[in-house]
Amino acid sequence: MRIIINPNRSVGTINPNIYGHFAEHLGRCIYEGLWVGPDSPIPNENGLRSDVVSALKELHVPVLRWPGGCFADTYHWRDGVGPAESRKTIVNTNWGGVTEDNRFGTHEFMELCRQLGCEAYFSGNVGSGTVQEFSDWVEYCNMPGVSPMADLRRQNGREEPFNVKYWGIGNEAWGCGGNMRPEHYADLCRQYSTYLRDYSDHKIYKIASGANVADYEWTGKVAEIAGGTIDAVSLHYYTLPHDEWSRKGAATGFTREEYYAVLKKTLRMKELVTEHGRILRRADPEGRLGLVVDEWGTWYDVEPGTNPGFLYQQNTVRDALVAALNLNIFNDHCDTVVMANIAQTVNVLQAMVLTEGAKMLKTPTYHVFRMFREHQGAKQVETYAETKLISCGDWSVPNIQVSASEGADGSVLLTAVNLSDTDAAPLEVLMDGITEKSTVTGEILGGDAGAYNTFENPDAVKPAALGGLEVKGGGVKAVLPASSVAAIRIVRE
Ligand code: AHR
């Protein structure tokens, strides 16, 4: 099977933010997963667990979205600042009805971003908040001089502004964020946007709450009515094995048909970003408005015996393939997709890491983000893959999917997915400039679609060196095992 890489054609630079993440006050994502508090026996720096932070740092996380999700439209930021002991206790009505003591708030989140070295993306409350409250949050975070909110920030221990760049104007306004119609939301978006100010020379980036899956009317109306007041529109698309929310399918022990259904549904992301992008261009022919896929990933039935409101699921090689397919699609549509945030970072949905008490494991999805990280900021380059169609039941998919980018040093990173759960894929990668002297190295993850890591065996699934690479003039030969993800770096001579 031939893969042709053409470094002379590109749709643009891969925005590092495509490799972004999302952490919500949901289940054990923030509490236990990221935040254990400064007095915890679990090693931590300023309350943030060191094992998780150090694992995430390896991914070069560019941006982190917070505090929701649905939680964002019930969140009142003032509840989460000031002395911890006097913070308000509320009920997390979206996720399990559990008590939320607001111990983790704006300052703790910004400390997490500092430790990770990433940008913050705040999702503001439009559904149940006010324009004044949201406007005050921006002033609190970004005003350098004297003002009521900047003074409050200083009183709470932070002299310098946080300079938060990314601000989401509500979340899922069509659903948990207010059940609004697109026209109503778009008008509200204009109003909120008016009062989200730039302070000093720090320009903020405003992201409108976007469509659910293929709701193109939503994107069209928001872009047409509010497009001039925002920088981007979001999109949410989750992959479920079955379309019934009450019976989505299990994360592990799935059937072959469920495996192929998940891959097929994941590939729909290509159609979604293309169509939403086309609609954005209709309202904005200059291409100023970006598409931010700020929630994506797999969503299964929760693990047996866990709180249904906590969305805790295992993560197999199938999920690694889902991550790789989506990231390859985002790379190849980097002229449209300016940011993407997988849901969610720890212990929720398609997580990077799972924790149990003091233990932590890296999921197969984590390893894909690590293997793909050099795509961040690189130049996307054109690829063509000779594929064949493979199927199971009603589900047909191409056996191979790829994307490639060229780094500043001229080396090329090819990331490839073998979707077949039975057949290895012999690949011949062709590109001008490959000679016998070229250095080609690779990593491979997978082999068994259903494999996953447990706290007893945390390294059952991890990347290995891709052996058997044959380099000759003009090409490289490699064999990808069934259900695998490869990252191949080519340094031409
Ligand atoms: O990620 C879980 C939830 O999915 C988010 O809170 C919401 O925005 C979406 O429906």
Side-chain angles (χ1 to χ4, degrees):
M1 228 150 283
R2 286 183 304 175
I3 310 260
I4 298 161
I5 304 176
N6 175 10
N8 299 320
R9 274 190 74 177
S10 167
V11 298
T13 299
I14 297 171
N15 194 318
N17 288 342
I18 283 177
Y19 289 77
H21 296 263
F22 167 39
E24 180 169 10
H25 286 240
L26 193 177
R28 298 186 300 114
C29 181
I30 298 291
Y31 300 108
E32 286 188 46
L34 289 158
W35 174 264
V36 287
D39 302 328
S40 171
I42 296 175
N44 69 86
E45 185 184 345
N46 298 326
L48 293 156
R49 57 188 292 171
S50 306
D51 52 355
V52 173
V53 168
S54 103
L56 294 175
K57 276 172 83 161
E58 277 183 62
L59 303 183
H60 298 174
V61 172
V63 63
L64 184 57
R65 178 174 184 248
W66 173 84
C70 294
F71 181 77
D73 282 289
T74 59
Y75 185 63
H76 300 286
W77 67 269
R78 279 188 178 80
D79 296 347
V81 296
E85 54 290 353
S86 48
R87 293 189 193 172
K88 198 189 258 181
T89 292
I90 60 163
V91 179
N92 190 332
T93 48
N94 283 293
W95 304 116
V98 295
T99 298
E100 159 68 61
D101 66 5
N102 279 299
R103 184 60 194 85
F104 188 91
T106 299
H107 292 250
E108 291 75 23
F109 178 69
M110 292 311 298
E111 169 62 9
L112 172 61
C113 291
R114 185 195 68 76
Q115 290 187 22
L116 293 176
C118 73
E119 290 279 352
Y121 169 10
F122 280 23
S123 191
N125 183 345
V126 171
S128 71
T130 64
V131 177
Q132 184 66 55
E133 180 187 14
F134 198 157
S135 164
D136 284 349
W137 202 11
V138 180
E139 182 184 320
Y140 184 90
C141 290
N142 290 358
M143 172 69 190
V146 174
S147 83
M149 291 304 113
D151 292 349
L152 180 60
R153 184 189 70 232
R154 279 187 203 101
Q155 197 183 306
N156 290 334
R158 171 76 185 198
E159 176 60 36
E160 296 304 319
F162 291 120
N163 286 334
V164 174
K165 179 171 179 184
Y166 298 104
W167 294 87
I169 304 177
N171 168 76
E172 297 195 349
W174 41 265
C176 64
N179 282 308
M180 299 177 205
R181 291 173 301 118
E183 295 85 351
H184 178 67
Y185 170 71
D187 278 338
L188 270 184
C189 184
R190 288 167 67 112
Q191 185 188 354
Y192 271 76
S193 180
T194 309
Y195 301 97
L196 305 182
R197 310 286 195 192
D198 293 333
Y199 289 96
S200 186
D201 56 359
H202 182 77
K203 184 143 178 35
I204 65 170
Y205 188 95
K206 299 171 194 170
I207 301 163
S209 168
N212 184 29
V213 195
D215 185 351
Y216 299 120
E217 189 200 353
W218 183 278
T219 301
K221 289 263 161 61
V222 170
E224 182 197 321
I225 299 169
T229 67
I230 52 172
D231 299 290
V233 180
S234 81
L235 164 68
H236 289 182
Y237 175 51
Y238 285 98
T239 311
L240 282 65
H242 301 282
D243 292 332
E244 288 163 62
W245 282 90
S246 56
R247 195 188 65 94
K248 297 178 280 294
T252 58
F254 43 83
T255 64
R256 283 194 76 214
E257 198 156 342
E258 286 172 321
Y259 168 83
Y260 279 96
V262 162
L263 300 188
K264 176 72 178 181
K265 290 175 179 198
T266 298
L267 290 170
R268 188 170 179 212
M269 185 64 92
K270 180 175 175 177
E271 162 208 322
L272 295 173
V273 298
T274 305
E275 282 306 295
H276 285 287
R278 197 177 57 75
I279 288 163
L280 289 182
R281 290 297 81 80
R282 214 161 56 195
D284 160 49
E286 276 96 62
R288 197 186 53 80
L289 289 177
L291 185 67
V292 169
V293 189
D294 53 15
E295 290 187 28
W296 67 270
T298 49
W299 194 325
Y300 305 121
D301 296 333
V302 297
E303 291 305 312
T306 65
N307 187 329
F310 280 16
L311 311 188
Y312 177 73
Q313 65 189 40
Q314 250 297 354
N315 195 297
T316 66
V317 165
R318 175 176 67 168
D319 295 276
L321 268 64
V322 168
L325 294 173
N326 275 307
L327 293 171
N328 278 343
I329 292 170
F330 298 148
N331 286 347
D332 279 349
H333 293 80
C334 63
D335 49 347
T336 302
V337 181
V338 296
M339 187 195 292
N341 310 75
I342 187 170
Q344 297 194 7
T345 317
V346 191
N347 292 333
V348 169
L349 298 178
Q350 192 175 348
M352 298 303 112
V353 297
L354 303 177
T355 66
E356 190 180 85
K359 292 188 229 159
M360 183 205 77
L361 65 80
K362 297 172 178 172
T363 65
T365 298
Y366 171 96
H367 293 302
V368 168
F369 271 77
R370 216 276 295 126
M371 289 161 68
F372 280 46
R373 71 181 181 194
E374 302 306 326
H375 279 310
Q376 294 186 31
K379 182 182 88 171
Q380 180 273 354
V381 296
E382 185 184 62
T383 49
Y384 169 75
E386 268 179 1
T387 62
K388 64 178 183 196
L389 218 52
I390 50 173
S391 43
C392 179
D394 293 338
W395 310 100
S396 297
V397 294
N399 65 326
I400 297 292
Q401 190 243 31
V402 299
S403 82
S405 68
E406 185 178 26
D409 61 358
S411 66
V412 169
L413 176 65
L414 171 74
T415 45
V417 184
N418 178 5
L419 289 80
S420 169
D421 63 335
T422 49
D423 294 352
L427 302 185
E428 191 175 5
V429 181
L430 304 172
M431 179 171 65
D432 277 354
I434 298 182
T435 69
E436 283 82 1
K437 289 197 198 143
S438 298
T439 311
V440 182
T441 49
E443 282 184 285
I444 189 82
L445 179 83
D448 170 4
Y452 58 96
N453 294 331
T454 62
F455 293 101
E456 292 68 47
N457 190 3
D459 288 325
V461 182
K462 63 174 185 187
L466 177 59
L469 287 165
E470 275 179 49
V471 187
K472 60 177 179 57
V476 180
K477 283 189 179 168
V479 179
L480 270 49
S483 298
S484 68
V485 179
I488 301 174
R489 176 159 293 285
I490 304 168
V491 183
R492 289 165 289 181
E493 263 303 305

